[in-house]
């Protein structure tokens, strides 16, 4: 690392969102191009910067700043240069020269301590003097705050966030309870706050530390899909994190309950938001679960069933009795659950339901959790389907510069204007999204929830579809019969065999289901590339880009992190006409297939016409959305990704941690998607991961062809392995409790 001192002569580019700056620094009378996160830095400022020289392939030698400190100008020349740079609004070069000529090297002291004296300079009124002084004070406060925070190893970017959040109160927060940073500032978790607290000298058994650690432990559990943790497990995990005695942790659980940040129900400890999410969902579901056709007599039921049969005939459908029963349940009830595996006629049933309600003149809304799932729903029904976020009209807002709040335009005060709402791929819907959906649906609207309960649960917390079915509180039909057309597909037949725990044929006599027995990882790599580039595209009539590798793991030789590096090298190799950018261990290259790996409600997208004019725009890119990099710009430090429906999103380089290469993705991330061909590398792994549920989900993502590269013993072991990671959720229990209360009230 080297340190250079100089003044900012010219800012070439500065990203106001993340602070990424490209500038010319005059150091020892030489011009140095510097790049780095320098939010709040102005032209004319004197800085001491630490970093290293790098060679950019296009822009040549640069000094990459890792940290910097603003240094107050010490001589008249530096002061005049700073004031004349435009850093202080209202002062140009001529006025700066007059100020410095009048006060000399005492200029900055005068501006900070006796600002009224500025009116002695021609061209400065008393009002303007006060305005200049206010700007100087604000810049001094930020500069002092950054110097103070840097002593604790806090980066400039985070220091600006802390200053913007707390202002002058930051000193008290840092001295008394730096763990507030984890609650108040986006991007700061317990571990960062704990590291800062350690440098400040906060004791490891501090009440603030223990409370923050408990909340962090529950937050981590939410990341694993849980809505609560049993008390014993919470205490055990918090003990391992905090390294304090469990008897010191338990009282702080009670204190957090008093602060209404936790809810303890029996032995279950919830972060308050998730307890009330499940409770609210249970309450709203009971309000929706009312007969839609109350008092329908047998003759009316028969007439409705006849109408369904006529509609099916006119649409050349051949529904069985169970599908007709499902449609009748939708006609008669306000809430209905439809489940079934591939090829069991869920789509046929949905189409029949849609046609019936369409004939009745009802307004019907269709939605699914992801863009790909919504697109599939549109293609299968002929009716427009939206993502749930678009259906609810996502409205992301910033309550201030750092704290993000997500809301929907459609809610209890502005509900959906629909008679029927049908949601597909319900296994992917987590508890918070489900709560938002239910808030926007008024009693009297029919809600039809469709999904395959045997798929993996949602990436987010909860297991909504399974809990709804386990509660046995709502009308429900599970389709099991495989229809004749689906019976021709070994993908469908094998999926059902796997689900029942039965062995599957791995003799490669199938036309759409293959096992290539390979026990050497390097041989698997070779065949995977060959399949994607040569064999599968003509076989399934698709582009190599559309063929998806699905793997159980992120790590390891057959995990998606390793596979993406190898596949990128062969499927999208470096070229002179392809720009690229390195971030961490990842090379992002124009043409790369990428996936958004976390919900970002603030990211803006737009659809451009052929002439580059925006024809549609919106906000929000979500976990699992896949697209392709179409442009990389080093000068503006941005990368553009085009997602489904030609939605283009511009990412600042600081957000690249939200983008993963997606030539290979985990099976979990593939939910709700369908690909022409799927390649599954299966050579062994952790028993809790390599289970029946995962294998079933993986093969049902393929439309035309599944190819397993690996070991038949691994496949058979996965079929036999019924272990699943249990999710701690209580939605079914909340539903049953409300149902019991309702029955007791009726008895009274």
């Amino acid at each position: 690392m080297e340190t250079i001192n100089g003044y900012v002569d010219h800012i070439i580019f500065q990203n106001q969102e993340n602070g990424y700056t490209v500038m010319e620094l005059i150091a020892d009378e030489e011009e140095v191009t510097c790049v780095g996160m320098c939010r709040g830095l102005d032209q004319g400022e004197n800085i001491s910067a630490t970093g290293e020289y790098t060679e950019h392939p296009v822009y040549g030698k640069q000094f990459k700043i890792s940290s910097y400190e603003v240094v107050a100008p010490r001589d008249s020349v530096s002061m005049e240069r700073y004031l004349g740079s435009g850093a202080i609004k209202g002062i140009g070069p001529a006025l700066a020269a007059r100020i410095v000529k009048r006060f000399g090297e005492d200029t900055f002291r005068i501006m900070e301590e006796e600002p009224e004296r500025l009116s002695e300079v021609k061209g400065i009124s008393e009002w303007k003097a006060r305005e200049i002084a206010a700007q100087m004070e604000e810049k001094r406060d930020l500069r002092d705050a950054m110097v103070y925070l840097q002593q604790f190893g806090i980066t400039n970017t985070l220091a600006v966030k802390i200053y913007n959040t707390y202002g002058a109160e930051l000193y008290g927060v840092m001295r008394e309870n730096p763990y507030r940073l984890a609650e108040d500032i986006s991007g700061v978790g317990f571990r960062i706050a704990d590291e800062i607290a350690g440098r400040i000298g906060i004791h490891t058994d501090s009440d603030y530390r223990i409370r923050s650690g408990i909340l962090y432990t529950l937050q981590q559990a939410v990341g694993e899909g849980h809505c609560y943790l049993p008390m014993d497990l919470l205490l055990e995990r918090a003990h391992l994190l905090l390294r304090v005695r469990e008897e010191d942790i338990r009282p702080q659980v009670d204190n957090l309950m008093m602060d209404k940040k936790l809810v303890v129900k029996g032995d279950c400890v919830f972060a308050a938001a998730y307890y009330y999410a499940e409770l609210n969902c249970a309450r709203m579901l009971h309000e929706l679960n009312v007969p839609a056709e109350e008092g329908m007599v047998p003759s009316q039921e028969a007439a409705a069933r006849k109408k369904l049969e006529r509609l099916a005939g006119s649409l050349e459908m051949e529904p069985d009795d169970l599908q007709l029963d499902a449609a009748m349940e939708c006609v008669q009830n306000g809430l209905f659950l439809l489940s079934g595996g591939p090829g069991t006629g869920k789509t046929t049933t949905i189409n029949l339901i849609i046609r019936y309600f369409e004939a009745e003149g009802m307004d019907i809304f269709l939605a699914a959790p992801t863009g790909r799932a919504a697109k599939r729903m549109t293609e299968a029904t002929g009716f427009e389907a939206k993502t749930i976020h678009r259906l609810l009209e996502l409205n992301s807002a910033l309550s201030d510069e750092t704290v993000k709040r997500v809301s929907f335009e459609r809610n209890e005060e502005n509900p959906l204007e629909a008679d029927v709402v049908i949601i597909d791929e319900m296994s992917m819907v987590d508890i918070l999204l489900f709560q938002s959906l239910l808030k926007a649906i008024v009693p009297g609207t029919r809600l039809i929830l469709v999904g395959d309960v045997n798929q993996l649960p949602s990436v987010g917390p909860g297991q909504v579809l399974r809990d709804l079915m386990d509660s046995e509180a709502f009308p429900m039909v599970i389709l099991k019969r495989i229809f004749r057309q689906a019976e021709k597909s070994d993908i469908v037949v094998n999926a059902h065999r796997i689900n029942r725990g039965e062995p599957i044929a791995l003799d490669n006599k199938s036309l759409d289901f293959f096992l290539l027995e390979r026990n050497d990882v390097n041989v698997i790599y070779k065949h995977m590339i060959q399949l994607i580039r040569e064999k599968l595209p003509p076989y399934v009539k698709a582009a190599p880009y559309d063929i998806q590798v699905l793997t159980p793991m992120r790590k390891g030789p057959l995990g998606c992190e390793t596979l993406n590096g190898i596949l990128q090298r062969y499927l999208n190799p470096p070229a002179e006409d392809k720009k690229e950018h390195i971030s961490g261990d990842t090379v992002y290259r124009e043409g790369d297939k990428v996936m958004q790996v976390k919900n970002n409600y603030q990211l803006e997208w737009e659809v451009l016409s052929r002439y580059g004019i925006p024809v549609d725009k919106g906000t929000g890119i979500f976990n699992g959305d896949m697209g392709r990099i179409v442009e990389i710009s080093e000068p503006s430090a941005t990368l553009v990704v085009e997602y489904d429906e030609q939605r283009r999103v511009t990412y600042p380089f600081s957000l690249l941690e939200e983008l993963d290469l997606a030539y290979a993705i985990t099976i979990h991330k593939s939910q709700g998607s369908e690909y022409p061909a799927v390649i599954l590398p299966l050579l062994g792994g952790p028993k809790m991961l390599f289970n029946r549920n995962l294998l079933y989900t993986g093969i049902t993502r393929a439309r035309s062809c599944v190819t397993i590269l690996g070991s038949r013993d691994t496949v058979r072991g996965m079929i036999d392995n019924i272990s699943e990671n249990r999710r701690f959720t209580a939605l079914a229990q909340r539903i049953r409790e409300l149902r019991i209360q309702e029955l007791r009230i009726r008895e009274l």
Side-chain angles (χ1 to χ4, degrees):
M1 288 285 183
E2 295 184 48
T3 299
I4 59 174
N5 299 289
Y7 68 90
V8 181
D9 181 62
H10 176 55
I11 291 181
I12 300 168
F13 169 80
Q14 189 169 64
N15 187 314
Q16 296 302 318
E17 189 173 309
N18 61 31
Y20 181 83
T21 303
V22 181
M23 62 187 174
E24 298 294 348
L25 189 75
I26 304 298
D28 295 329
E29 299 185 0
E30 287 188 13
E31 193 174 83
V32 181
T33 301
C34 297
V35 297
M37 298 299 180
C38 304
R39 186 171 181 174
L41 196 62
D42 291 316
Q43 288 181 184
E45 301 230 56
N46 288 266
I47 66 170
S48 176
T50 301
E52 58 187 359
Y53 283 99
T54 60
E55 190 71 30
H56 191 278
V58 177
Y59 302 105
K61 189 176 181 181
Q62 297 179 337
F63 188 78
K64 191 172 184 180
I65 297 174
S66 58
S67 65
Y68 74 94
E69 181 182 352
V70 175
V71 180
R74 293 185 176 88
D75 56 73
S76 299
V77 174
S78 298
M79 291 177 183
E80 183 178 335
R81 184 170 55 230
Y82 173 71
L83 293 175
S85 69
I88 304 296
K89 291 179 183 176
I91 299 181
L95 185 54
R98 291 203 298 274
I99 294 172
V100 174
K101 184 178 180 181
R102 175 71 181 83
F103 300 114
E105 293 186 5
D106 210 23
T107 296
F108 271 43
R109 188 195 67 77
I110 294 291
M111 295 179 77
E112 292 175 356
E113 297 177 13
E114 303 176 70
E116 68 279 358
R117 289 189 58 192
L118 288 172
S119 59
E120 298 173 15
V121 178
K122 184 181 178 182
I124 299 180
S125 64
E126 288 187 19
W127 174 84
K128 190 169 185 176
R130 286 194 297 270
E131 188 183 66
I132 291 170
Q135 288 187 61
M136 287 291 290
E137 184 176 357
E138 184 180 346
K139 288 181 178 294
R140 183 190 63 193
D141 288 346
L142 174 57
R143 195 158 51 237
D144 291 348
M146 292 181 75
V147 170
Y148 171 75
L149 293 170
Q150 281 171 358
Q151 68 181 308
F152 305 120
I154 295 172
T155 65
N156 292 324
T157 303
L158 179 55
V160 172
K161 280 187 175 184
I162 294 171
Y163 179 79
N164 288 341
T165 301
Y166 301 117
E169 293 179 17
L170 73 87
Y171 302 99
V173 170
M174 298 299 289
R175 281 193 304 270
E176 296 169 17
N177 181 17
Y179 294 97
R180 277 184 59 186
L181 272 62
E183 296 181 44
D184 299 339
I185 299 177
S186 173
V188 179
F190 170 80
R191 293 191 183 278
I192 293 176
D194 198 37
E195 191 177 322
I196 293 168
R199 290 179 180 143
I200 290 172
I202 302 292
H203 291 296
T204 56
D205 61 353
S206 155
D207 289 352
Y208 291 129
R209 180 173 186 266
I210 294 173
R211 290 182 203 178
S212 184
I214 292 168
L215 294 174
Y216 176 76
T217 301
L218 284 172
Q219 180 187 352
Q220 292 298 101
V222 165
E224 297 168 16
H226 304 300
C227 290
Y228 72 87
L229 283 179
M231 179 69 78
D232 289 347
L233 185 56
L234 171 66
L235 295 176
E236 178 187 328
R237 288 190 177 189
H239 163 70
L240 291 172
L241 172 72
L242 297 165
R243 298 296 178 184
V244 299
R245 297 177 306 170
E246 289 188 13
E247 50 264 40
D248 292 331
I249 298 172
R250 184 64 181 84
Q252 299 306 328
V253 173
D254 295 332
N255 288 332
L256 286 167
M257 284 176 59
M258 297 284 288
D259 291 341
K260 298 185 178 179
K261 292 182 178 179
L262 297 185
V263 174
V264 179
K265 191 84 171 174
D267 186 47
C268 307
V269 185
F270 298 79
Y274 294 94
Y275 173 79
Y276 289 110
E278 290 193 326
L279 184 63
N280 289 338
C281 285
R283 176 184 55 77
M284 291 185 285
L285 285 164
H286 275 290
E287 290 173 357
L288 291 171
N289 186 33
V290 294
E293 297 288 349
E294 196 163 1
M296 185 179 270
V297 297
S299 61
Q300 290 173 314
E301 288 184 31
R305 196 174 185 94
K306 283 286 185 188
K307 183 174 181 179
L308 286 167
E309 289 171 351
R310 285 197 305 273
L311 280 170
S314 67
L315 295 167
E316 298 182 355
M317 299 178 186
E318 296 182 11
D320 63 8
D321 288 342
L322 203 54
Q323 289 174 296
L324 287 170
D325 290 344
M328 279 300 298
E329 291 283 1
C330 293
V331 171
Q332 294 175 291
N333 294 285
L335 178 62
F336 176 68
L337 311 177
L338 177 65
S339 186
T344 56
K346 291 196 302 294
T347 300
T348 302
T349 307
I350 293 170
N351 274 322
L352 183 57
I353 292 164
I354 290 171
R355 268 56 183 191
Y356 180 91
F357 289 129
E358 183 187 28
E360 294 290 306
M362 294 184 174
D363 291 324
I364 308 162
F365 287 173
L366 309 183
T370 67
R372 283 177 173 260
K375 185 177 179 182
R376 285 176 58 198
M377 197 179 187
T378 299
E379 291 167 353
T381 63
F383 279 70
E384 182 191 8
K386 299 179 179 179
T387 63
I388 297 174
H389 290 87
R390 291 198 76 181
L391 178 72
L392 299 179
E393 298 174 20
L394 175 68
N395 171 30
S396 58
L398 294 178
S399 53
D400 58 36
E401 285 189 32
T402 56
V403 181
K404 296 179 180 180
R405 175 173 49 84
V406 177
S407 63
F408 295 97
E409 293 289 341
R410 295 293 179 174
N411 49 40
E412 54 267 66
E413 296 176 0
N414 181 30
L416 293 168
E417 297 171 5
D419 300 304
V420 182
V421 176
I422 303 175
I423 307 295
D424 198 9
E425 296 287 357
M426 266 302 298
S427 64
M428 297 178 65
V429 177
D430 64 45
I431 191 65
L432 295 182
L433 183 57
F434 192 51
Q435 177 180 229
S436 296
L437 174 69
L438 293 178
K439 284 181 179 179
I441 299 176
V442 296
T445 302
R446 288 176 171 85
L447 176 60
I448 300 164
L449 306 175
V450 185
D452 183 350
V453 76
N454 294 306
Q455 299 280 5
L456 291 169
S458 57
V459 174
Q463 47 184 6
V464 172
L465 182 61
R466 184 176 293 278
D467 281 350
L468 294 182
M469 295 177 69
D470 287 349
S471 74
E472 299 181 342
F474 311 113
M476 172 175 60
V477 168
I478 302 174
L479 302 174
K480 295 180 178 177
R481 173 193 160 195
I482 304 175
F483 281 80
R484 283 196 302 272
Q485 187 175 356
E487 284 178 341
K488 298 174 185 176
S489 166
D490 285 318
I491 296 173
V492 171
V493 172
N494 285 338
H496 285 272
R497 284 179 179 161
I498 290 167
N499 196 36
R500 295 192 296 266
E502 298 171 3
I504 60 175
L506 297 171
D507 53 12
N508 289 341
K509 293 180 180 178
S510 169
L511 293 176
D512 60 11
F513 198 101
F514 306 98
L515 169 75
L516 302 183
E517 183 92 30
R518 303 289 185 270
N519 294 306
D520 185 312
V521 168
N522 290 313
V523 174
I524 289 175
Y525 296 156
K526 174 186 171 184
H527 285 283
M528 188 180 293
I529 293 162
Q530 191 177 34
L531 284 166
I532 297 172
R533 287 205 305 199
E534 302 168 20
K535 303 292 186 184
L536 287 174
Y539 190 71
V540 297
K541 297 179 176 60
Y545 176 88
D546 296 317
I547 293 161
Q548 189 62 51
V549 177
L550 302 180
T551 174
M553 305 169 291
R554 285 192 60 82
K555 305 289 185 181
L558 292 178
C560 58
E561 290 181 2
T562 301
L563 289 175
N564 273 317
I566 293 168
L567 293 172
Q568 181 194 46
R569 192 184 315 152
Y570 288 94
L571 301 179
N572 188 33
E576 288 186 6
D577 61 339
K578 292 179 186 175
K579 294 176 185 173
E580 57 184 53
H581 175 77
I582 300 173
S583 179
D585 296 328
T586 304
V587 176
Y588 296 93
R589 185 174 296 132
E590 289 178 346
D592 273 339
K593 187 176 181 179
V594 291
M595 172 182 277
Q596 174 78 13
V597 294
K598 64 183 288 189
N599 289 339
N600 188 320
Y601 302 96
Q602 272 69 45
L603 273 176
E604 297 180 355
W605 54 262
E606 61 181 10
V607 178
L608 303 179
S609 72
R610 58 187 296 187
Y611 303 107
I613 300 170
V615 294
D616 192 12
K617 59 177 59 179
T619 57
I621 297 295
F622 305 105
N623 194 349
D625 284 354
M626 290 177 69
R628 177 176 276 173
I629 298 174
V630 294
E631 183 183 331
I632 294 175
S633 171
E634 287 288 346
S636 61
T638 58
L639 176 153
V640 179
V641 176
E642 184 169 290
Y643 289 99
D644 289 339
E645 299 170 342
Q646 298 179 306
R647 294 173 300 147
R648 289 195 168 207
V649 177
T650 300
Y651 288 82
F653 285 167
S654 62
L655 280 185
L656 292 186
E657 63 186 23
E658 296 186 7
L659 277 182
D660 278 355
L661 294 177
Y663 299 100
I665 63 174
T666 61
I667 293 172
H668 219 130
K669 291 284 189 184
S670 71
Q671 289 182 97
S673 297
E674 185 180 72
Y675 311 97
V678 159
I679 298 172
L680 295 166
L682 302 174
L683 199 55
K687 185 177 179 182
M688 286 302 292
L689 191 60
F690 276 62
N691 57 38
R692 182 187 300 175
N693 195 217
L694 195 84
L695 180 61
Y696 174 83
T697 301
I699 70 169
T700 54
R701 299 306 90 207
R703 182 167 62 246
S704 302
C705 183
V706 168
T707 305
I708 297 173
L709 280 170
S711 162
R712 67 182 67 239
D713 289 339
T714 299
V715 175
R716 288 167 179 163
M718 292 178 77
I719 295 171
D720 293 337
N721 181 11
I722 59 171
S723 65
E724 293 179 44
N725 290 323
R726 183 194 166 192
R727 287 199 170 188
F728 295 114
T729 65
L731 178 59
Q733 180 63 24
R734 299 288 88 83
I735 290 169
R736 285 192 287 264
E737 288 170 355
L738 285 176
R739 193 179 184 190
I740 290 169
Q741 288 178 16
E742 189 178 289
L743 290 173
R744 285 176 179 167
I745 291 170
R746 287 181 183 175
E747 288 173 1
L748 295 174

